[in-house]
Amino acid sequence: MNTVPERFVVPIGPQHPALKEPGHFEFTVDGEQVTAASVRLGYAHRGIEKATEGRNWVQNLYLLERICGICSHIHATAYCLGVEKLAGVTAPPRAQAIRVVVAELERIHSHLLWLGVAAHEAGFDTLFMYSWRDRETVMDILEALTGNRVNYSANLLGGVKFDMTPELQDMILKGLEFLEQRTHDYVAVVTTDATLLQRTRGVGVTSREQVEELGLIGPTARASGALRDLRVESPYAAYADFPIVPVTATEGDLEARFVVRLKELFESYRLIRLILEKLPEGELQARMPRKIKPAETISRVEAPRGELFYFIKSNGTDQPERIKVRTPTLCNLASVCILAVGSQLADVPMILAGVDPCFSCNDRAVSIHSTKLGEKQWTWAQLRQYGIDYYRR
Amino acid sequence: MTWQQVVDDFKTWARVNSPWVVHFNTGSCNGCDIEILATLTPRYDLERFGVKLEGSPRHGDVLICTGPVTLQARDRLLRVYEQMPEPKFVIAVGSCAISGGVFQGCYNIIGHVDEVLPVDVYIPGCPPRPEAIIDGVVKLLGHLKDPAPQANIEEAN
């Protein structure tokens, strides 16, 4: 008889019932215990960064918004802030405040969406349906504000596209009142429901040290006690005038991640009300030049999932020389492979959902195993040949 | 009415009343995917047409594709499609799935779903509103009830 324990690999994805996005995972299991995990990404890699070099500054705004449909506004905000910095233009205060209002509304929609998806992973479909029903309230607000439910296109280079009318303000306040009351219910559910707590309390614990080691960001890091929030650390747009109070927890388990994200919602409701009350008067858009002189800059904003980073380089024409995007999922995804090892296979979907992964955001880089050629650095010709060989069928 | 006709009518009745859908993201930006999910949740409630989101392609009747097909996702898309039992139908959701949309000219995409699979229903929009997705699904169910237009589509393909 064979005495060596057999390795059994459970492949998951890229088409799988749990997540709505393509990602391929391989979990090696011993019984129910996961002993190794690996991830294969790139199913949603479209080549956006290269495509930006062939489009002008205005066209890129709409392309970059479609990096991710969930956090589209924050991608456009990061891009606009960067390009405005390059051109030496500052958007008027009213435009900056409206940007923050839309960004916080987007955070509300994204966190409610995540609550539903995470509850679905835990097998708690009732919470999934409730949270998605309530999410329609914020979708209605976003639609009334911008005219579209997803990919709002609220930003323009140098400002925003629409004004905040008194009727819209009334609608937003009414919607927020309903959502605030519902969020209180959700906090009660995720902290007291015994069935859900069995799936979340003490599962996937990330220590404060691991946050530093793995470079985690966003709500995932804040649930482990690390204060990482760019809205506080380096305020952009109108966050300097309207500061937020960061939410953190110390436990680092999945329950803490639920609680941190839900408590952030209250902070968003408070901030939106404050901004609507003290909305600065003035213009909506500053004048932007068509061409931008050669320079380079970085732009960092806090997306719903963590820090979003843009590097933008101009070359004097109406098109960018290079745009590099680093999205929060890239930083957080590594933690899944570490945390999954040693846990039960049934907990793995929850651990994965716990970082709120977004593969559409993430899949802009192709990782190459350097062992194939035995070299760390590749020339352009080698890289090109690798690409041609890889996709030749 | 022959026995065969009775059996066929029964099969059509069953198919129209409970189409199980398989959702595959072929490289979309997530916008269409969250709208498809929103369509299945209480506000829009696509389940009243008997539609159920199914995880395994082997149980699916309808494949919903979103996004321009990336080179890496193409093989998986074909595998998912081939695993589905006959008869099977494909719905392309969103501008990207129809024409490549905003991603036209990107180096890593094929462009549209119907270069890879035969598509039965196209739902335009970036992303399509849930009402549009419901309309597309109902149109497909209408085709299933009345096979004549379906035959036309097959001829055109």
Side-chain angles (χ1 to χ4, degrees):
Chain A
M1 241 182 89
N2 188 5
T3 50
V4 181
E6 225 176 302
R7 274 175 78 244
F8 189 78
V9 179
V10 181
I12 300 176
Q15 191 276 333
H16 46 116
L19 289 163
K20 305 302 162 215
E21 298 164 83
H24 180 73
F25 299 89
E26 280 181 0
F27 295 104
T28 311
V29 291
D30 180 10
E32 279 291 301
Q33 200 125 39
V34 178
T35 54
S38 78
V39 57
R40 171 97 169 84
L41 294 171
Y43 288 95
H45 176 75
R46 289 150 285 181
I48 294 176
E49 283 175 18
K50 185 68 189 165
T52 57
E53 293 163 23
R55 288 160 163 83
N56 68 29
W57 294 106
V58 178
Q59 288 171 326
N60 277 334
L61 183 58
Y62 302 98
L63 177 65
L64 290 170
E65 222 171 36
R66 281 158 182 79
I67 285 181
C68 175
I70 303 177
C71 36
S72 64
H73 173 77
I74 207 78
H75 274 277
T77 308
Y79 172 71
C80 284
L81 290 172
V83 175
E84 283 161 19
K85 214 190 287 178
L86 280 182
V89 174
T90 315
R94 192 176 174 86
Q96 301 278 26
I98 292 174
R99 273 180 188 170
V100 170
V101 170
V102 180
E104 291 301 321
L105 285 170
E106 186 177 70
R107 196 179 311 278
I108 296 169
H109 120 72
S110 177
H111 280 1
L112 284 176
L113 176 143
W114 174 83
L115 175 70
V117 172
H120 174 71
E121 304 301 338
F124 194 0
D125 266 8
T126 319
L127 183 58
F128 168 49
M129 290 293 175
Y130 269 121
S131 74
W132 276 68
R133 186 200 66 181
D134 297 337
R135 180 177 158 271
E136 290 296 330
T137 314
V138 68
M139 298 306 277
D140 285 345
I141 293 175
L142 283 167
E143 191 184 359
L145 271 176
T146 64
N148 206 3
R149 286 165 53 91
V150 181
N151 298 336
Y152 330 105
S153 295
N155 278 304
L156 290 172
L157 291 175
V160 289
K161 203 174 273 181
F162 58 86
D163 201 0
M164 190 75 71
T165 61
E167 298 86 60
L168 281 172
Q169 295 194 12
D170 285 347
M171 188 200 173
I172 294 176
L173 292 176
K174 209 182 269 178
L176 290 189
E177 204 173 309
F178 171 72
L179 285 171
E180 185 157 28
Q181 181 201 339
R182 294 296 305 161
T183 312
H184 279 294
D185 293 351
Y186 293 140
V187 174
V189 168
V190 301
T191 50
T192 56
D193 187 273
T195 329
L196 189 63
L197 282 181
Q198 281 182 349
R199 301 297 308 274
T200 58
R201 189 168 282 176
V203 176
V205 182
T206 319
S207 66
R208 184 76 176 75
E209 291 72 42
Q210 271 178 320
V211 170
E212 301 295 340
E213 265 170 36
L214 299 167
L216 304 185
I217 50 174
T220 314
R222 293 199 282 275
S224 298
L227 175 56
R228 292 211 175 141
D229 194 330
L230 282 176
R231 293 173 292 169
V232 181
E233 284 171 309
S234 77
Y236 55 93
Y239 284 111
D241 302 330
F242 301 98
I244 67 140
V245 183
V247 180
T248 55
T250 49
E251 291 85 0
D253 58 357
L254 289 176
E255 189 199 355
R257 293 182 188 174
F258 272 95
V259 172
V260 163
R261 284 198 175 92
L262 286 174
K263 287 197 172 155
E264 270 182 19
L265 291 181
F266 292 121
E267 200 48 37
S268 296
Y269 302 146
R270 186 191 64 79
L271 194 71
I272 293 172
R273 286 196 186 115
L274 186 71
I275 294 178
L276 290 186
E277 203 179 298
K278 298 180 180 170
L279 197 63
E281 293 297 322
E283 291 290 308
L284 286 179
Q285 198 190 2
R287 199 172 165 74
M288 280 289 290
R290 197 168 63 84
K291 293 179 177 177
I292 297 176
K293 60 186 186 311
E296 56 185 63
T297 187
I298 59 165
S299 156
R300 304 193 301 159
V301 295
E302 182 76 13
R305 287 161 183 75
E307 177 187 335
L308 175 66
F309 175 96
Y310 267 64
F311 168 79
I312 305 168
K313 188 175 178 190
S314 57
N315 57 4
T317 64
D318 61 350
Q319 294 179 343
E321 169 96 11
R322 177 82 172 94
I323 293 183
K324 165 76 193 144
V325 187
R326 198 211 57 186
T327 53
T329 303
L330 187 66
C331 306
N332 285 337
L333 206 59
S335 75
V336 175
C337 293
I338 307 276
L339 292 176
V341 174
S343 64
Q344 299 284 309
L345 185 61
D347 285 334
V348 167
M350 282 296 283
I351 291 170
L352 180 59
V355 302
D356 199 358
C358 177
F359 298 110
S360 304
C361 270
N362 193 35
D363 286 355
R364 286 158 305 86
V366 184
S367 66
I368 298 161
H369 296 291
S370 56
T371 46
K372 277 202 180 152
L373 284 184
E375 287 172 23
K376 282 270 186 245
Q377 282 199 338
W378 286 36
T379 62
W380 169 241
Q382 279 175 316
L383 195 63
R384 186 168 171 275
Q385 193 55 46
Y386 179 84
I388 292 168
D389 293 342
Y390 184 87
Y391 285 116
R392 182 172 287 153
R393 297 261 191 259
Chain B
M1 192 179 261
T2 63
W3 175 241
Q4 189 57 44
Q5 275 174 322
V6 173
V7 172
D8 286 349
D9 283 355
F10 178 75
K11 276 186 183 166
T12 308
W13 171 81
R15 209 167 279 149
V16 170
N17 281 295
S18 116
W20 285 14
V21 301
V22 179
H23 168 219
F24 187 51
N25 176 336
T26 57
S28 101
C29 74
N30 262 347
C32 297
D33 309 277
I34 60 178
E35 290 296 77
I36 288 169
L37 264 194
T39 313
L40 292 162
T41 49
R43 164 80 69 93
Y44 297 101
D45 196 19
L46 195 57
E47 292 193 0
R48 67 198 139 113
F49 295 108
V51 174
K52 182 173 174 289
L53 192 63
E54 177 59 32
S56 168
R58 292 183 196 280
H59 301 160
D61 300 307
V62 180
L63 179 65
I64 297 187
C65 296
T66 55
V69 184
T70 62
L71 292 174
Q72 194 176 332
R74 182 188 59 184
D75 294 353
R76 293 301 184 135
L77 179 63
L78 280 171
R79 264 166 76 174
V80 167
Y81 183 72
E82 278 161 11
Q83 281 174 14
M84 288 168 61
E86 291 280 355
K88 48 197 168 185
F89 307 93
V90 179
I91 302 180
V93 174
S95 308
C96 304
I98 294 172
S99 69
V102 74
F103 303 116
Q104 267 173 11
C106 288
Y107 61 80
N108 205 31
I109 66 164
I110 292 173
H112 32 117
V113 173
D114 64 5
E115 290 208 356
V116 184
L117 303 175
V119 178
D120 298 278
V121 178
Y122 298 90
I123 306 176
C126 186
R129 294 183 52 84
E131 289 92 333
I133 298 175
I134 293 174
D135 186 48
V137 171
V138 169
K139 284 221 168 82
L140 177 68
L141 296 183
H143 276 307
L144 299 188
K145 252 182 230 165
D146 180 12
Q150 183 61 34
N152 288 341
I153 290 174
E154 273 162 15
E155 275 167 30
N157 282 337

